[in-house]
Amino acid sequence: MLYLSLRQLEYVVAVARAGSLTVAAQQVNVSQPALSVAITHVEAHLGQKLFLRRKGVPVTLTGFGRLFLADAEALLSRAARLEDPKALGLRRLERITLGIFEDLAPAYLAPLLRRLRDEFPDVEIRSKVATFEALAEAVLAGQVDLALTYDLGLDASFQRELIVRVQPQAWLALDDPLAGHDEIRLSDLADRPLILSDQGLSIQHMLGLFRVLGATPVIAHRAASIEVLRSLAANGEGIGISYANPAGALSFDGKPVVRVQIADKHAEEPIVLVHCGDQPAPLPDIRAAILAATG
C-alpha cells in the first residue's frame, strides 16, 4: 500500500524549489496552512525531517531531504510520462509473450523463437503453448501479446492476420482401403469410425463439416494429442482427422501410418495470428516478422 500520494510529493518538490511555504502554496494553488500540514504528514510518515523551517529564513532541505527530493522528482517525471499519450507511444515493450496452439507448436514455436530473438535481441521473448480456449482467454487478459492459432471460437474482440489456409488430413492404417488414394472427401469417411481431438471446439468444428453433408459420423476415440491420434489410426482403431500435419510415416509406437489429404473446399481452415487492440512497439514489427517467416 502506498501511503504518500503524488500530490504530496508535488508539494515537497514545490517547497524545495521555492524555498518558501507561502510561495509554494501559491504555485500549487493550495493554502499555506494546508501545505504545511501536508509536509508535516510526509515527514511524520518518513520519520525524518525534509526541511529546516525557521522564522524569517528561507526553507532549506536537510541532507535526507536532498536525497528524498531527487527520488521524488524522478518519480513525478515518470508519472508525467505515463499521463502523456505521445510519450507513452514512444516507449517499447521489453518483454512479450507469444502464444501458440498446442498442435501448431511443434512446427512453429522453435523456428519463430529463433527468428524473433535474432531480429529483436533487446526484447525478451516468452512463449505459452495452450488450447484454443486458454489462448483466447490469455490474449483477452493481456497475458499473451500475440497468438498463433486456428480461427476457431474467436469473436470480434480479436484482430486476425492470415498466416495460411490448410486442409485437414486423414490418418489411416497401412492396410486401410483408402490408404492408396491421393486424396479423399469427407463423404468417404461418413460411415467410418473416426478419431478426433478431445478439444471441444475441434470436435464441434469437425462434426460441423459433416453436418454440411447431412452426415453424423461415429466418434470412436477422442485423442489428447496428434501423436495419440496417429497411433490409434496406425493400429486400426479408426480414421484420424486433424489439421496438424507432422512429418514422418511412422506413429509414435513405430507403426506405419498413412496420411491422405481431405479435399473438401469447405473443410479448409485458416491459421491466424491474433491480438487485441492497439499495440505498442515493437509488437507491430514482431507481427510483421512472424508473417514474413510463416507466409
Side-chain angles (χ1 to χ4, degrees):
M1 179 182 294
L2 296 177
Y3 292 94
L4 300 181
S5 68
L6 291 177
R7 178 63 66 189
Q8 289 170 321
L9 297 183
E10 286 180 328
Y11 290 167
V12 171
V13 171
V15 172
R17 290 174 176 173
S20 163
L21 288 171
T22 302
V23 174
Q26 294 171 347
Q27 292 174 344
V28 296
N29 196 29
V30 68
S31 69
Q32 190 272 335
L35 180 61
S36 180
V37 169
I39 296 297
T40 300
H41 175 82
V42 173
E43 291 177 328
H45 174 73
L46 296 173
Q48 296 277 357
K49 286 288 186 183
L50 297 177
F51 298 102
L52 297 175
R53 289 183 269 178
R54 294 169 291 174
K55 206 167 188 179
V57 178
V59 174
T60 58
L61 285 163
T62 65
F64 180 82
R66 288 194 295 274
L67 293 174
F68 185 84
L69 177 67
D71 289 342
E73 288 178 326
L75 181 56
L76 289 172
S77 177
R78 288 195 294 271
R81 287 199 300 271
L82 284 176
E83 290 186 337
D84 183 355
K86 293 181 180 179
L88 189 60
L90 296 174
R91 297 183 65 186
R92 289 171 58 87
L93 292 175
E94 297 179 352
R95 179 175 65 245
I96 70 109
T97 300
L98 172 66
I100 298 192
F101 172 56
E102 54 192 9
D103 279 6
L104 296 174
Y108 286 96
L109 179 57
L112 283 178
L113 286 178
R114 182 168 185 176
R115 176 159 182 164
L116 294 178
R117 286 169 178 161
D118 286 344
E119 292 191 26
F120 303 92
D122 58 331
V123 181
E124 180 185 350
I125 310 290
R126 295 182 175 182
S127 64
K128 179 180 179 67
V129 177
T131 63
F132 294 123
E133 294 89 344
L135 270 185
E137 291 173 3
V139 172
L140 287 174
Q143 298 165 352
V144 165
D145 300 290
L146 301 169
L148 194 69
T149 183
Y150 292 106
D151 195 0
L152 294 177
L154 302 177
D155 61 23
S157 304
F158 298 88
Q159 294 169 255
R160 304 159 173 80
E161 293 172 280
L162 178 66
I163 298 294
V164 67
R165 298 182 182 276
V166 293
Q167 292 291 138
Q169 308 293 315
W171 300 94
L172 309 103
L174 188 60
D175 58 356
D176 190 284
L178 296 175
H181 292 227
D182 292 330
E183 62 180 30
I184 58 177
R185 295 192 170 275
L186 290 169
S187 56
D188 299 321
L189 308 177
D191 297 325
R192 302 288 301 275
L194 301 182
I195 308 163
L196 303 180
S197 165
D198 67 354
Q199 293 201 35
L201 282 175
S202 179
I203 291 177
Q204 293 171 27
H205 174 70
M206 289 296 185
L207 293 180
L209 298 179
F210 282 97
R211 276 197 296 271
V212 172
L213 308 176
T216 305
V218 174
I219 303 176
H221 295 283
R222 300 185 180 195
S225 70
I226 181 61
E227 286 305 329
V228 172
L229 182 149
R230 281 169 24 104
S231 177
L232 289 167
N235 284 276
E237 286 292 315
I239 295 178
I241 303 178
S242 76
Y243 284 96
N245 189 15
L250 296 177
S251 65
F252 199 79
D253 62 339
K255 296 287 196 317
V257 61
V258 178
R259 89 191 69 207
V260 181
Q261 182 169 285
I262 297 173
D264 300 67
K265 185 63 178 175
H266 78 283
E268 184 181 78
E269 182 64 25
I271 297 174
V272 291
L273 184 66
V274 302
H275 68 279
C276 287
D278 295 333
Q279 295 192 302
L283 284 168
D285 291 335
I286 288 177
R287 293 204 312 268
I290 292 174
L291 292 171
T294 54

